Amino acid sequence: MQVSVETLGNLERRMTFRLPAERIDTQVGGRLKEMARTARIKGFRPGKVPTKVIEQRYGDQVRQEILDGMLRESFDGAIRENELRLAGAPRIEPSTDAAGEGELAFVATFEIVPDFGDLDVANLEVVRHTSDVEDADIDRMIDNLRMQRQGWNRVERAAKENDLVTMENFSEVDGTRRPPEGAEKGSTVVGSGAMLKEIEAAVVGMSPGEEKTVQVDFPADWRIPEFAGKTVSITAKVLEVSEPVLPEVDAAFIRSFGVKSGEPEQFRAEIRSNLARELKGALMQRLRKEVGEQLAAKYASVEMPPRLVENEARALANGMAEQARRQGQQVAVDQTQFMEPARKRVLVALLVGEIARRNELRLDQRRLNETMRLIASTYEDPEQVIELYRNDPQLMAGLQSRVMEEQVIDWIAERATHTEQALSFQDAIRQ
C-alpha cells in the first residue's frame, strides 16, 4: 500500500493511500461464495443458489463492507507507521485524481493530538470532596417517598399552606370579562407557586364557598396580551379544600418499593445503598470538574484541533436546542457561544488520553465490572442489563471510555497536591 502524508496546518494532515482493486475483488468474490453455500432463497435448494443470484442480491452490500474494513485497516496501519496520534475521526473520501491503473485511491483528512510538552500533574492543586450517607439522609428520603405517595382528604375549614384547593375564577380588565360567561376551574397546592402570588395570598384563609376579588398587576411581557402591563381584577371562589395525608411506613408501603420482606431495616439498607451510589457518582463528577479546571488552566495556551472543537461546540448547541424542544420551547442557539466550553472539553479529553498513554494506564476490568453492576442494580432485572452491555459493542465501548476516564482522573488526583473537604450528603449531590 502506497501512503503519502501532507501537512495542512499545525494540527491538520492529509493522507493519500491506494488499495489494489484486485485484492478487493478477490475478497468480495470469496465472501459471496461463502454466502452461496448457506444462503436460503426462495426457489433454490440450500447450497444450490447460483453465485450470480447472490451477487445481484448482496454484491453491493458485501463490497461496501469489504471496502470499509480495508479502509479502516489501511488507515490505522498508516497512522501507526507514521507515528501519528489521531484527534477525532478522520474524513475519508475517494480520490480519482490519485488513482493509478488497477488501484482505488482515497484521501483522509484528519487532525492530530497537539504536543503538550511535559505532563507533570504533581503541581496541580486539587480539592477532593468527601461525604457519607447519614441516618438523617435516609429519613429525608423516606419522607420524600411518602410525599410521592401522599393522598388528599377533603376538609371543611379554611385553606392553609400545602392544602389542595379547587376553585373557580374569572377576570375583568378594561371592562371586559374573561371568560365572558361562567368561570375557569382548576386545582393547585397552596405554596407550590403555581398560582400568582396575589391570588395565592388571598386563597390562604378562605373556606369552601367563600369568594374574594384581588387586584393583580401583570408584567409587560405577560403571555396573555390582554393582561400584559395592566391591573386585572380577578375574582376567585374556593370550591373545595383537601389536606395532605401521608402513608404510614408499614410493610405494604415498603413492599411497594420492591422490598419483598416488608422489613424496615432492609428498606433502610436499600435506601442507603441507593444513596451511596448517587453520592459516589456526585463525588466523581465534582472531582472530574476540579481536575478538568486545573488541567484546562495549566494548558490553556496549547492550540487545539479546530475541527474537533467545532464539532464539540455543535454537539453542545444541538444538545441545548433539543433540551429546549423537549420543554416545548423554540430557542435559536448560536453555536459560537459554545466555542470556549467546547475548547475546554476537547483540551481536557485529549490531556486525559495523553496522560493515560504516557503512563501506560490500562482499563481496570474489575472496576469496569463493578461500574456495570452498579448501573444494572438500579433496574428490576440486573442480569438482563449486564447481558445487554456485554452484547452491545457500542454500549460497552461507551462504558469502557467512562470508566477509563474516571481511572485517569483518580490517578491525577492522587498525584496532585490535594486537600480534602468534607461535605454533607445534600451539599455533595448539589452540583
Side-chain angles (χ1 to χ4, degrees):
M1 181 184 68
Q2 302 177 35
V3 176
S4 63
V5 180
E6 302 172 68
T7 299
L8 303 181
N10 290 344
L11 299 174
E12 190 173 15
R13 302 291 184 270
R14 180 165 59 201
M15 177 188 294
T16 303
F17 56 100
R18 300 170 180 81
L19 301 176
E22 183 180 356
R23 181 183 167 196
I24 297 173
D25 293 338
T26 300
Q27 290 197 27
V28 170
R31 178 81 63 83
L32 292 174
K33 285 180 181 178
E34 289 178 12
M35 295 176 68
R37 286 197 291 269
T38 57
R40 294 181 177 273
I41 296 178
K42 190 175 181 180
F44 299 95
R45 286 182 297 164
K48 299 297 182 180
V49 183
T51 304
K52 190 170 186 63
V53 174
I54 295 293
E55 185 175 359
Q56 289 174 344
R57 180 165 295 196
Y58 303 109
D60 291 343
Q61 176 187 336
V62 168
R63 177 170 292 276
Q64 190 60 51
E65 289 175 356
I66 295 290
L67 182 58
D68 288 346
M70 290 182 67
L71 284 174
R72 284 195 301 271
E73 180 184 350
S74 301
F75 178 76
D76 291 346
I79 288 292
R80 288 193 298 271
E81 186 177 334
N82 287 272
E83 297 182 344
L84 297 170
R85 286 175 291 117
L86 215 59
R91 184 171 63 244
I92 302 179
E93 300 170 323
S95 174
T96 54
D97 293 341
E101 186 175 352
E103 292 180 326
L104 295 177
F106 296 87
V107 172
T109 307
F110 56 95
E111 293 174 317
I112 61 173
V113 176
D115 181 10
F116 289 107
D118 182 35
L119 285 177
D120 182 13
V121 301
N123 58 359
L124 296 180
E125 297 182 0
V126 175
V127 177
R128 191 161 199 162
H129 295 97
T130 62
S131 184
D132 290 304
V133 178
E134 306 290 347
D135 286 342
D137 301 314
I138 299 173
D139 293 337
R140 188 180 294 105
M141 176 55 69
I142 291 175
D143 287 342
N144 290 339
L145 295 175
R146 293 177 71 198
M147 289 288 292
Q148 292 173 13
R149 301 288 180 88
Q150 76 175 9
W152 300 96
N153 274 353
R154 185 173 178 177
V155 292
E156 295 298 327
R157 59 164 173 75
K160 60 181 183 180
E161 188 103 351
N162 297 322
D163 281 344
L164 177 67
V165 176
T166 302
M167 61 183 184
E168 59 183 18
N169 67 81
F170 63 88
S171 309
E172 288 188 44
V173 57
D174 296 336
T176 303
R177 190 183 193 276
R178 286 177 57 98
E181 295 182 1
E184 297 176 343
K185 186 177 178 181
S187 299
T188 188
V189 176
V190 179
S192 66
M195 292 187 292
L196 293 166
K197 60 182 181 180
E198 292 89 347
I199 300 176
E200 190 165 86
V203 166
V204 174
M206 290 175 63
S207 300
E210 190 174 345
E211 186 175 282
K212 190 178 290 186
T213 300
V214 294
Q215 305 299 314
V216 179
D217 295 324
F218 283 85
D221 59 350
W222 189 250
R223 62 180 181 275
I224 301 175
E226 292 90 334
F227 290 179
K230 297 179 180 178
T231 299
V232 182
S233 175
I234 298 179
T235 300
K237 181 180 181 180
V238 172
L239 303 178
E240 189 176 295
V241 176
S242 298
E243 64 182 7
V245 179
L246 297 177
E248 294 295 325
V249 185
D250 54 18
F253 178 81
I254 293 172
R255 290 193 187 100
S256 70
F257 289 96
V259 182
K260 295 180 180 179
S261 69
E263 294 293 332
E265 288 309 311
Q266 186 178 353
F267 186 41
R268 293 182 68 86
E270 294 210 7
I271 291 175
R272 182 182 292 276
S273 176
N274 291 337
L275 293 182
R277 179 175 58 250
E278 182 182 1
L279 179 60
K280 183 179 180 181
L283 291 176
M284 173 50 71
Q285 184 63 26
R286 283 179 172 273
L287 185 61
R288 182 187 286 113
K289 182 179 179 181
E290 180 77 15
V291 171
E293 287 178 348
Q294 292 290 321
L295 289 172
K298 183 174 181 180
Y299 295 93
S301 61
V302 178
E303 181 183 355
M304 287 294 101
R307 187 154 52 89
L308 193 58
V309 173
E310 288 175 10
N311 290 341
E312 183 66 24
R314 188 178 303 110
L316 291 174
N318 291 342
M320 174 172 282
E322 175 62 19
Q323 184 178 6
R325 187 189 64 79
R326 288 178 180 175
Q327 295 173 351
Q329 303 172 351
Q330 293 294 332
V331 180
V333 180
D334 181 8
Q335 181 179 317
T336 58
Q337 66 180 312
F338 293 94
M339 290 299 288
E340 185 55 29
R343 185 191 179 282
K344 287 184 178 179
R345 286 171 67 121
V346 168
L347 171 60
V348 172
L350 292 180
L351 277 167
V352 166
E354 187 65 2
I355 289 170
R357 186 188 71 84
R358 293 192 189 184
N359 295 279
E360 299 182 348
L361 303 181
R362 298 290 179 265
L363 181 66
D364 184 341
Q365 191 62 41
R366 185 174 63 179
R367 183 166 181 164
L368 177 70
N369 291 336
E370 287 176 355
T371 304
M372 184 165 55
R373 291 196 173 279
L374 203 61
I375 294 171
S377 67
T378 62
Y379 293 85
E380 188 174 345
D381 188 347
E383 291 304 320
Q384 186 178 11
V385 176
I386 291 173
E387 197 65 23
L388 176 64
Y389 270 92
R390 287 176 175 163
N391 292 327
D392 189 328
Q394 188 173 354
L395 205 58
M396 180 59 79
L399 180 62
Q400 290 172 338
S401 177
R402 167 187 160 182
V403 172
M404 188 66 213
E405 181 191 23
E406 291 179 357
Q407 277 184 232
V408 180
I409 293 295
D410 274 336
W411 188 92
I412 295 171
E414 287 169 6
R415 286 154 181 79
T417 302
H418 66 271
T419 56
E420 291 192 354
Q421 181 180 339
L423 296 174
S424 68
F425 173 84
Q426 293 299 318
D427 287 338
I429 63 173
R430 190 180 297 117
Q431 298 294 332

